[in-house]
Amino acid sequence: MKEILSSEWKYGKKLLNVSVLIAFVIIAYYNLSIGYMMSPDSFTYSGWADALIELDFNLYDYFVQNTFFTPSYFYTTPVIVVAVSKVFFGSAWQYAFLIFDLFLVLFSLILFSKSLLIIGVRPVLISITMAVLVLSVDLLLWPRYILSDTIFSFLVILVTFIIIRGIAMDKTHYISLISILSITLLSRPSSIPILFAVFSFVAISRFQIYNKPKLLLLLFILGFFVVSPFIFAYLHHLIEVNLSDNTQGAHLLRLVGQGEIINDRPETWLPPPSTFGDVAYLYFVRMISFFTPYAAPFSIIHIALNSLQTIIILLSIGLWAFLGENIKLLNKTVFFILLLSFSVAAFSAFTIIDYDWRYRFPIILPLMMIFPISMEILCKKIISE
């Protein structure tokens, strides 16, 4: 066992390669066995793709003609993928889109592994994580949907890889980073917190606060669960006073006005808020609800797998916080992952938490990185003693 856990174990990378392949095959088989799925947003993308094809892929004319209340350029990437699938594969375009999504899953698993290898995590620990990822409800669910989720999740893990590579090399390739961030911005409105997290990380990381994990975790908890709800309540007040006639502003005000927590799940809603404190409390509940592993209609297996994933992530964060002193590469990586995750969660809490928690999917792989990182820290601790 000691040899297997050694960072120099000669079969480590071979085991990792096999683990990635097996994990992908299981995830792909499960999604393919069910087949592609169309949701209301899928039909919207299909209609927009048809319009883009009719305009001979003239994006300027497409943007002018698309009058969706959210700027249509936010959905450019998935619409182009759908349009290209229709042009090349005709009536079989949904199957082509599904296969494309599954390839992105494979590349995501590879980037996940490479990111951890770069910062010195033992291959055997990453291999163990692959077994956990196979049980991820998100990876078993969203790749078969004709939506932007898998594309967006791949872009997020690609951004994460570029950041981690920059951490390891102590030099970030900003041209590559900005290029991928540009594509990410054109993939979904929820790309905004991704950009915020990256720019914030670049600005804050120079202060080396990441070398104090317990303090850092405390600041994240206070900022996310205590400070943010009051900031959002104040922003809600500003929107109410100054932007109530704006389409987006009115939409946000309506959701808060009816006490909505999870979209289209009235059982989660609160009584309509009437005071500033009520609004702040609503945002606080939304913050917590973003990470909720269960909902009334979920099956027992769904709840069990989500709960297992949540427990693993929470225990890993706790282990990192108490054992991760003075391990620069690992601490800096976890700092970015937490900043990314809390930014996405805060943005969703302020705007909308989707009925099926779709907007949580892009941060699952980054969050799961903390598991092998915490195991690596534990291994280092045991060996040093």
Side-chain angles (χ1 to χ4, degrees):
M1 180 60 70
K2 186 176 180 180
E3 182 184 358
I4 292 175
L5 290 176
S6 169
S7 57
E8 303 299 326
W9 187 43
K10 61 181 180 179
Y11 298 113
K13 290 189 177 180
K14 291 180 180 179
L15 175 64
L16 176 57
N17 292 336
V18 172
S19 300
V20 170
L21 182 59
I22 291 175
F24 168 70
V25 169
I26 293 173
I27 293 168
Y29 175 78
Y30 185 82
N31 282 279
L32 286 170
S33 65
I34 297 174
Y36 71 82
M37 301 290 289
M38 296 284 286
S39 74
D41 285 349
S42 306
F43 291 104
T44 299
Y45 289 153
S46 178
W48 288 348
D50 290 338
L52 183 61
I53 293 170
E54 289 178 6
L55 293 170
D56 294 325
F57 287 85
N58 186 317
L59 287 173
Y60 177 79
D61 289 344
Y62 167 75
F63 293 145
V64 171
Q65 292 185 21
N66 191 320
T67 57
F68 191 60
F69 75 95
T70 299
S72 57
Y73 56 78
F74 276 122
Y75 306 96
T76 304
T77 303
V79 170
I80 288 177
V81 173
V82 171
V84 170
S85 298
K86 288 190 171 193
V87 169
F88 284 98
F89 299 97
S91 60
W93 71 270
Q94 289 105 326
Y95 293 102
F97 191 97
L98 171 57
I99 296 300
F100 177 73
D101 268 2
L102 291 175
F103 272 112
L104 292 184
V105 170
L106 175 59
F107 293 138
S108 296
L109 295 176
I110 292 172
L111 289 172
F112 179 93
S113 303
K114 286 187 174 296
S115 299
L116 292 166
L117 288 173
I118 286 172
I119 54 176
V121 177
R122 296 155 214 263
V124 66
L125 299 178
I126 309 173
S127 301
I128 294 171
T129 309
M130 287 296 146
V132 179
L133 290 177
V134 167
L135 301 176
S136 172
V137 172
D138 299 277
L139 287 170
L140 295 174
L141 175 65
W142 295 116
R144 62 178 174 272
Y145 275 83
I146 310 299
L147 293 169
S148 62
D149 298 83
T150 303
I151 297 172
F152 188 71
S153 297
F154 167 74
L155 291 170
V156 171
I157 198 65
L158 180 55
V159 168
T160 303
F161 170 75
I162 293 172
I163 291 293
I164 291 175
R165 185 179 62 181
I167 292 172
M169 298 174 60
D170 203 22
K171 179 183 178 182
T172 302
H173 294 278
Y174 286 104
I175 294 178
S176 300
L177 181 61
I178 292 172
S179 298
I180 299 302
L181 286 175
S182 299
I183 299 173
T184 306
L185 182 64
L186 298 175
S187 299
R188 223 157 73 174
S190 52
S191 58
I192 293 172
I194 307 299
L195 273 68
F196 172 82
V198 170
F199 295 140
S200 298
F201 174 78
V202 172
I204 297 172
S205 60
R206 68 186 65 181
F207 297 109
Q208 298 189 4
I209 190 175
Y210 49 82
N211 279 328
K212 299 178 179 179
K214 287 191 283 291
L215 174 61
L216 187 61
L217 183 59
L218 177 62
L219 291 176
F220 271 122
I221 292 173
L222 290 175
F224 186 70
F225 293 110
V226 179
V227 178
S228 293
F230 288 98
I231 293 175
F232 290 166
Y234 181 68
L235 291 175
H236 173 271
H237 172 70
L238 292 180
I239 293 173
E240 200 171 32
V241 173
N242 302 304
L243 296 172
S244 59
D245 294 333
N246 177 271
T247 304
Q248 292 282 4
H251 179 64
L252 294 177
L253 293 176
R254 180 181 61 81
L255 298 180
V256 172
Q258 62 191 18
E260 179 176 299
I261 301 298
I262 308 298
N263 187 45
D264 289 337
R265 290 191 184 274
E267 70 275 9
T268 67
W269 296 4
L270 298 177
S274 56
T275 66
F276 181 87
D278 290 341
V279 175
Y281 177 68
L282 181 141
Y283 283 121
F284 170 75
V285 175
R286 282 188 178 184
M287 296 284 199
I288 295 175
S289 299
F290 179 82
F291 295 102
T292 302
Y294 64 88
F298 285 1
S299 68
I300 294 176
I301 294 178
H302 192 158
I303 294 173
L305 293 179
N306 265 349
S307 299
L308 175 64
Q309 181 174 264
T310 302
I311 291 170
I312 289 173
I313 291 171
L314 290 176
L315 289 177
S316 300
I317 292 173
L319 194 61
W320 161 77
F322 285 95
L323 298 180
E325 296 284 349
N326 300 318
I327 307 177
K328 179 181 176 181
L329 291 182
L330 302 183
N331 288 342
K332 202 169 182 180
T333 299
V334 175
F335 170 51
F336 172 72
I337 292 170
L338 292 179
L339 182 59
L340 175 72
S341 303
F342 281 125
S343 297
V344 171
F347 181 82
S348 295
F350 183 66
T351 53
I352 185 172
I353 301 178
D354 187 74
Y355 176 83
D356 288 313
W357 284 270
R358 280 172 52 201
Y359 302 147
R360 192 167 59 190
F361 177 33
I363 61 172
I364 293 300
L365 283 179
L367 277 173
M368 283 303 300
M369 283 184 176
I370 304 178
F371 172 57
I373 288 174
S374 67
M375 291 298 101
E376 177 65 30
I377 292 172
L378 182 60
C379 285
K380 289 179 181 295
K381 188 77 173 178
I382 293 173
I383 291 173
S384 66
E385 295 179 354

